[in-house]
Amino acid sequence: MSKNSKNSVKEPAEERTPAPQPKALNQTAIDPMYIGRLAGTLLGICLVTALLLGAVNQVTKPRIDAAQKAKTEAAMAQVLPADAYERVDTDAPGVTALYRAVSGGAQAGFVAEISATGSQGSIDMVVGVDTAGAVTGVSVTKHSETKNIGTKVVSDQAVLDRFIGMSHDAGDITVNAGTNRFDGVSGATVTSKGVAAGVNAALAAVQGVQ
């Protein structure tokens, strides 16, 4: 073999060791102690929040209840003025409380506290009924009706006063139709029907105890 042939022979390439690759992170390996600390922290926050809410509720609830009671008593005097209101037992649907109104030692009628259903939730109202079974007044004490829609009924005393003098002599009060018709407010038919249902509940409850 010639000298040139020997020189043309290539030496074997140097074997290289591959660079170490970073280990893949184990996404499922979470420190149990970390989980425990996190759970404990969250539990502590929940407990503190619950205690604070409870403390606030204890302070505010009696005041809210007292204000609502005063509002209801004022409404009772508005729908049927009397010297006293005596609680009467009743299980009539929709009636949360029923009172016999007494003036000068004689019965003047009844006042019913009602919880009716409006378009956005309950409508709490007070309805007065005289001894002849006719409505003497309606007053809404609490509601969630939409402003400028349902409030055109529940917050407008002129509308509520349309019920005065109505009774069940011609059957249940109906809205915008029927022989015992109540003209509801345009655009607030659901609220009008809710209040009418409350008045019907009061009249029915009174008929049940007379």
Side-chain angles (χ1 to χ4, degrees):
M1 183 178 293
S2 67
K3 184 177 179 180
N4 290 336
S5 297
K6 290 182 179 180
N7 291 338
S8 65
V9 175
K10 294 183 179 180
E11 297 293 331
E14 183 180 350
E15 184 176 349
R16 295 182 181 180
T17 304
Q21 297 296 318
K23 294 182 179 180
L25 295 177
N26 187 349
Q27 300 295 334
T28 60
I30 301 177
D31 186 357
M33 294 184 65
Y34 170 76
I35 296 177
R37 289 194 299 270
L38 180 60
T41 300
L42 293 175
L43 179 60
I45 293 173
C46 291
L47 289 175
V48 171
T49 302
L51 288 173
L52 290 174
L53 289 175
V56 171
N57 185 61
Q58 285 185 340
V59 173
T60 59
K61 190 176 185 302
R63 296 178 183 178
I64 294 173
D65 291 345
Q68 186 62 31
K69 181 180 179 182
K71 189 173 183 179
T72 300
E73 290 175 348
M76 291 170 66
Q78 174 189 330
V79 300
L80 184 58
D83 297 333
Y85 301 93
E86 303 172 351
R87 187 72 176 258
V88 178
D89 291 334
T90 182
D91 57 359
V95 180
T96 56
L98 183 63
Y99 302 88
R100 179 178 285 105
V102 179
S103 289
Q107 179 173 302
F110 292 87
V111 173
E113 290 182 41
I114 305 294
S115 180
T117 301
S119 65
Q120 302 299 317
S122 297
I123 300 176
D124 293 345
M125 51 196 287
V126 175
V127 181
V129 181
D130 63 19
T131 54
V135 176
T136 59
V138 178
S139 178
V140 173
T141 58
K142 188 177 180 181
H143 69 86
S144 302
E145 299 305 279
T146 305
K147 187 177 181 180
N148 295 326
I149 301 178
T151 54
K152 291 181 179 180
V153 180
V154 296
S155 298
D156 190 335
Q157 194 57 49
V159 173
L160 297 176
D161 286 347
R162 296 178 192 171
F163 286 101
I164 295 177
M166 300 188 76
S167 68
H168 273 177
D169 289 347
D172 285 352
I173 298 171
T174 52
V175 176
N176 299 335
T179 57
N180 199 14
R181 173 179 177 141
F182 170 78
D183 291 324
V185 175
S186 177
T189 303
V190 175
T191 302
S192 299
K193 288 182 177 181
V195 176
V199 175
N200 281 325
L203 290 171
V206 170
Q207 287 179 335
V209 297
Q210 282 184 327

